[in-house]
């Protein structure tokens, strides 16, 4: 299980990595603000 409380300081590759992690069967918990990281702030994390 991976916990991503906030992605404000994440690089642009982090949302892709989190998406690949989930697609590979990983479980993730996204906290408040986790969908604001990468891709111009406000882009949803897959």
């Amino acid at each position: 299980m991976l916990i991503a409380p906030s992605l404000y300081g994440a690089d642009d590759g982090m949302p892709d990595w989190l998406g690949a992690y989930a697609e590979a069967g990983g479980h993730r918990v996204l906290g408040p603000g986790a969908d604001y990281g990468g891709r111009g702030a406000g882009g949803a994390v897959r």
Side-chain angles (χ1 to χ4, degrees), residues 3-35:
I3 299 173
S6 177
L7 296 178
Y8 290 114
D11 65 16
D12 288 340
M14 183 59 69
D16 292 332
W17 186 87
L18 288 170
Y21 176 81
E23 289 173 6
H27 297 282
R28 62 189 178 169
V29 177
L30 302 177
D35 63 339

